[in-house]
């Protein structure tokens, strides 16, 4: 496996960095009136303005060459073609097949996966129609009014994000709830709001072994059975999983299970049966539109030349800042309230995929890989942490995301939102020089000495990069395209870094240790030799609780 740092394009980019890192974007804009037009891409209802980046045509060419030399075209073909690119788990990553319309075969392990994808989609469609139309009745003959999705990570964040973003398309009778935290406060809060006779629980877990999800599901089941019999469970509990045996063992009839497969990664699963809450809320037609939007982005990613390929451009801009400018974080700042869950979703997608330092060949990378992805609605961020982004010491590349359509916003509100996001991008790019700050203060009537003292605090260095991602509208089609855009961006970065973006071994160690600690907290296992700090924490908890459970003798 070639090391990216040895590739000719990497070397050229290192040289580009040395030559241009002091150039201000203001100057590039001044010298090049076509810059805004050239650094712009459209895919369906998604538009990317990437002119406010610290790049010129040479850098962009070298970034594209780096993608090429890293094998992005070959790896892209391998992913779409069902090859087992998830090498540590010997699995394909075929989320793109889930949104593929039509009958063209997609094979992995010698099997065409399309018939089973279509069969599950049809089953989901029939079920969603029955619930939405009121044909599906609870055990007392009442229609379903509340859906509670119990799942965590990829079995929570995607459906939660999509149902929030597409609320205006939601069924007026259905209230959607999402429970992920094993802290009973969350489940108890939801159960206090719903009625067992009119509630449908979707137990979502790829493995059906996740402790948090199974604990919440068991508690929900006990709550339900307080006023109903075992036979009534069939009307109120369905499962989404790859694990038939565990679903049956939990007590859910596998006839009420919606299946998906090991080649669907958790954080790539909202297109599969994990999307059942989305389909219940939005209806089958809108779910299919979401799939079509994703497929539109898939086709663009598969066919567009690398230099005009939206996911590739976003990915390579990220690499430019991470590997050459030393940026370690990336901000996702949607401006629309409907997208307030989007940063959390992208955080899992990106950080669980590319938060790795071991390359596919087992060697250590020795260069930076996935960034810390974080975010919040941009307008709230402006009044909280944008100070650091404008005048702090860290370079924080940011994606600013906003819908052009007012989408029934209250009169006058959307213009304010848009004016802020456009102005922020301008401010990040332009900054404010000392001369500009001084002139402004003098114009306000300040005397020269006072102005000179204040000027250093009023200077904005600018030259801070942003991508502006515009949606024509927040609708199912564009949301499908937007999520697929980020999925492919993350994939391209993983290819360049030579890492497997589809496993997540890093989440295992904590889970493993928690099993032992839980037994110790419960008093069913004598204290194991931990470090002194962990021992102290366990003892503290035990002391605080031993009076009630009487099992202190183990310590
Ligand atoms: O769907 P499940 O099997 O319950 O897994 C839920 C989540 O937990 C795991 O620990 C992983 O970190 C996630 O990738 C996964 O989405």
């Amino acid at each position: 496996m070639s090391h990216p740092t040895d590739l000719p394009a990497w070397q050229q980019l290192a040289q580009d960095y040395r030559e241009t890192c002091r150039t201000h974007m203001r100057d590039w804009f001044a010298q090049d009136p076509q810059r805004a037009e050239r650094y712009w891409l459209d895919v369906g209802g998604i538009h990317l303005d990437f002119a406010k980046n610290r790049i010129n045509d040479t850098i962009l060419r070298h970034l594209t060459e780096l993608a090429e030399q890293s094998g992005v075209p070959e790896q892209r073909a391998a992913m779409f073609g069902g090859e087992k690119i998830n090498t540590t788990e010997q699995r394909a990553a075929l989320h793109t097949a889930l949104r593929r319309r039509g009958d063209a075969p997609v094979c992995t392990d010698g099997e065409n996966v399309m018939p089973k994808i279509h069969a599950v989609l049809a089953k989901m469609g029939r079920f969603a129609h029955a619930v939405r139309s009121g044909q599906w009745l609870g055990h007392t003959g009442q229609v379903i009014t509340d859906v509670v999705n119990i799942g965590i990570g990829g079995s929570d964040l995607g459906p939660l994000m999509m149902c929030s973003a597409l609320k205006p398309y939601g069924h007026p009778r259905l209230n959607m709830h999402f429970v992920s935290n094993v802290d009973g406060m969350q489940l108890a809060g939801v159960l206090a709001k719903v009625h067992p006779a009119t509630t449908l629980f979707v137990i979502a877990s790829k493995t059906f072994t996740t402790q948090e999800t199974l604990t919440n599901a068991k508690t929900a089941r006990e709550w339900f059975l307080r006023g109903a019999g075992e036979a009534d469970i069939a009307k109120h509990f369905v499962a989404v999983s790859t694990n038939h045996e565990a679903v049956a063992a939990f007590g859910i009839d596998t006839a009420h299970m919606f299946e998906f497969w090991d080649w669907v990664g958790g954080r790539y699963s909202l297109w599969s049966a994990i999307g059942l809450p989305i389909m219940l809320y939005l209806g089958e037609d809108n779910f299919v539109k979401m799939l079509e939007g994703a497929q539109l982005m898939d086709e663009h990613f598969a066919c567009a030349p690398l230099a005009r390929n939206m996911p590739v451009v976003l990915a390579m801009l990220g690499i430019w800042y991470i590997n050459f400018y030393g940026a370690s974080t990336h901000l996702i700042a949607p401006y629309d309230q409907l997208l307030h869950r989007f940063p959390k979703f992208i955080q899992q997608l990106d950080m669980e995929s590319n938060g790795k330092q071991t390359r596919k060949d087992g060697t250590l990378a020795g260069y930076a890989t996935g960034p810390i992805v974080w975010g919040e609605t941009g307008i709230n961020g402006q009044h909280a942490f944008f100070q650091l982004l404008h005048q702090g010491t860290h370079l924080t590349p940011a994606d600013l995301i906003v819908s052009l359509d007012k989408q029934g916003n209250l009169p006058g509100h959307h213009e304010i939102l848009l004016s802020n996001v456009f102005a922020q991008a301008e401010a990040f790019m332009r900054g404010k020089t000392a001369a500009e700050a001084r002139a402004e203060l003098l114009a306000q009537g300040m005397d020269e000495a006072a102005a000179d003292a204040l000027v250093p605090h009023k200077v904005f260095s600018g030259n801070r990069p942003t991508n502006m991602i515009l949606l024509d509208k927040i609708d199912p089609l564009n949301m499908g395209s937007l999520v697929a855009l980020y999925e492919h961006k993350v994939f391209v970065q993983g290819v360049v870094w030579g890492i497997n973006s589809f496993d997540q071994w890093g989440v295992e160690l904590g889970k493993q240790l928690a099993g032992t600690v839980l037994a110790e907290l419960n008093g069913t296992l004598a204290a194991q030799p931990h470090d002194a700090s962990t021992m102290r924490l366990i003892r503290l908890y035990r002391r605080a609780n031993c009076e009630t459970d009487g099992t202190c003798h183990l310590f």
Side-chain angles (χ1 to χ4, degrees):
M1 250 180 103
S2 62
H3 228 257
T5 53
D6 295 334
L7 295 172
W10 188 288
Q11 305 295 329
Q12 283 160 329
L13 286 162
Q15 177 70 18
D16 294 337
Y17 171 76
R18 286 191 290 274
E19 287 171 4
T20 63
C21 66
R22 281 188 187 78
T23 308
H24 203 289
M25 277 190 268
R26 275 187 186 212
D27 299 331
W28 273 328
F29 270 98
Q31 291 155 12
D32 179 4
Q34 305 303 318
R35 184 177 172 89
E37 253 165 72
R38 272 203 326 288
Y39 297 167
W40 180 280
L41 288 169
D42 306 282
V43 180
I46 309 282
H47 314 282
L48 169 66
D49 171 7
F50 60 103
K52 296 190 187 79
N53 277 289
R54 293 169 78 161
I55 53 165
N56 58 19
D57 289 354
T58 308
I59 296 167
L60 202 54
R61 193 177 70 248
H62 291 154
L63 286 170
T64 308
E65 285 169 5
L66 179 59
E68 183 98 47
Q69 291 166 16
S70 304
V72 168
E74 294 80 5
Q75 287 300 308
R76 179 181 57 185
M79 178 177 72
F80 280 108
E83 284 180 37
K84 294 184 174 176
I85 57 170
N86 176 355
T87 45
T88 61
E89 296 180 302
Q90 278 304 304
R91 291 173 185 170
L94 267 181
H95 43 287
T96 52
L98 296 168
R99 55 239 192 174
R100 197 177 167 135
R101 314 300 297 148
D103 290 325
V106 177
C107 299
T108 187
D109 254 342
E111 184 200 359
N112 177 13
V113 296
M114 294 313 294
K116 55 189 190 185
I117 291 174
H118 289 152
V120 172
L121 255 182
K123 183 175 174 180
M124 289 165 66
R126 286 192 297 276
F127 180 64
H129 176 72
V131 172
R132 290 165 58 84
S133 66
Q135 287 162 21
W136 182 280
L137 301 174
H139 72 286
T140 61
Q142 288 171 268
V143 295
I144 299 296
T145 58
D146 292 83
V147 176
V148 181
N149 188 78
I150 297 182
I152 198 165
S155 301
D156 167 65
L157 291 164
L160 170 61
M161 183 276 291
M162 277 294 183
C163 289
S164 310
L166 297 171
K167 201 165 193 294
Y169 296 81
H171 193 294
R173 176 170 34 85
L174 293 178
N175 304 306
M176 306 302 290
H177 312 269
F178 292 84
V179 175
S180 55
N181 198 334
V182 74
D183 182 341
M185 293 298 284
Q186 194 184 18
L187 180 60
V190 170
L191 295 181
K193 281 191 249 166
V194 301
H195 193 281
T198 55
T199 299
L200 176 73
F201 290 94
V202 178
I203 314 301
S205 174
K206 180 176 169 178
T207 54
F208 230 77
T209 58
T210 304
Q211 184 189 39
E212 297 86 339
T213 298
L214 292 188
T215 304
N216 280 327
K218 196 166 152 279
T219 303
R221 208 176 102 126
E222 283 161 10
W223 173 83
F224 175 76
L225 287 175
R226 275 187 225 151
E230 286 278 346
D232 301 325
I233 284 187
K235 290 277 170 209
H236 295 272
F237 282 77
V238 296
V240 179
S241 187
T242 60
N243 187 343
H244 285 81
E245 294 74 35
V247 168
F250 179 81
I252 295 180
D253 184 347
T254 48
H256 297 130
M257 167 179 163
F258 297 85
E259 189 190 11
F260 65 115
W261 309 277
D262 68 0
W263 40 261
V264 183
R267 50 198 176 274
Y268 299 86
S269 63
L270 70 83
W271 325 99
S272 71
I274 286 291
L276 184 64
I278 308 173
M279 200 193 269
L280 285 165
Y281 194 41
L282 306 181
E284 187 178 9
D285 289 353
N286 282 322
F287 190 83
V288 168
K289 284 206 182 86
M290 184 188 83
L291 299 182
E292 286 169 355
Q295 194 189 6
L296 196 74
M297 189 57 73
D298 292 344
E299 284 167 0
H300 166 80
F301 177 52
C303 301
L306 298 186
R308 303 296 299 162
N309 194 308
M310 200 184 276
V312 175
V313 167
L314 275 187
M316 299 316 292
L317 287 169
I319 284 180
W320 179 231
Y321 298 119
I322 292 162
N323 295 109
F324 297 90
Y325 276 87
S328 53
T329 82
H330 187 94
L331 170 67
I332 305 285
Y335 271 68
D336 300 77
Q337 187 60 23
L338 288 173
L339 295 180
H340 77 286
R341 301 279 186 184
F342 194 69
K344 285 262 180 284
F345 170 77
I346 297 298
Q347 192 173 54
Q348 187 205 14
L349 173 66
D350 200 324
M351 293 176 74
E352 208 171 62
S353 297
N354 287 344
K356 292 155 196 174
Q357 55 175 319
T358 305
R359 286 154 46 83
K360 276 187 153 184
D361 62 9
T363 60
L364 281 182
Y367 44 80
T369 59
I372 296 161
V373 175
W374 60 292
E376 164 64 282
T377 48
I379 205 82
N380 292 353
Q382 284 177 213
H383 298 275
F385 54 78
F386 271 38
Q387 163 65 38
L388 181 148
L389 303 184
H390 282 293
Q391 289 188 315
T393 52
H394 303 277
L395 179 77
T396 306
D399 293 350
L400 309 179
I401 306 171
V402 73
S403 152
L404 292 169
D405 192 275
K406 293 185 187 177
Q407 306 210 224
N409 210 335
L410 300 173
H413 285 237
H414 202 66
E415 292 73 8
I416 295 175
L417 197 68
L418 264 292
S419 68
N420 272 280
V421 63
F422 293 167
Q424 286 295 328
E426 185 180 20
F428 283 130
M429 188 280 286
R430 279 183 61 81
K432 191 185 281 184
T433 64
E436 287 168 344
R438 191 169 191 275
E440 222 175 72
L441 291 172
L442 295 179
Q444 286 162 12
M446 191 175 272
D447 68 58
E448 295 213 352
D452 287 339
L454 202 50
V455 161
H457 303 279
K458 294 276 205 169
V459 167
F460 291 67
S461 61
N463 220 9
R464 294 172 188 246
T466 55
N467 296 310
M468 183 73 68
I469 298 177
L470 304 161
L471 280 73
D472 282 342
K473 189 177 184 195
I474 299 176
D475 64 12
L477 193 82
N478 292 335
M479 284 308 296
S481 299
L482 183 69
V483 172
L485 167 64
Y486 276 91
E487 287 179 350
H488 295 320
K489 172 203 163 177
V490 166
F491 169 74
V492 169
Q493 293 187 331
V495 172
V496 174
W497 289 321
I499 55 181
N500 176 3
S501 300
F502 299 103
D503 61 10
Q504 57 283 317
W505 300 107
V507 301
E508 295 302 325
L509 177 60
K511 283 187 198 174
Q512 205 182 327
L513 295 180
T516 312
V517 175
L518 178 62
E520 292 166 66
L521 295 181
N522 287 337
T524 55
L525 183 71
Q528 301 292 302
H530 301 275
D531 59 87
S533 158
T534 308
M535 289 296 285
R536 189 177 162 82
L537 295 170
I538 295 172
R539 224 175 282 129
L540 186 75
Y541 178 84
R542 293 274 306 149
R543 283 210 192 105
N545 291 276
C546 68
E547 278 168 26
T548 47
D549 64 18
T551 49
C552 275
H553 60 276
L554 283 174
F555 290 78

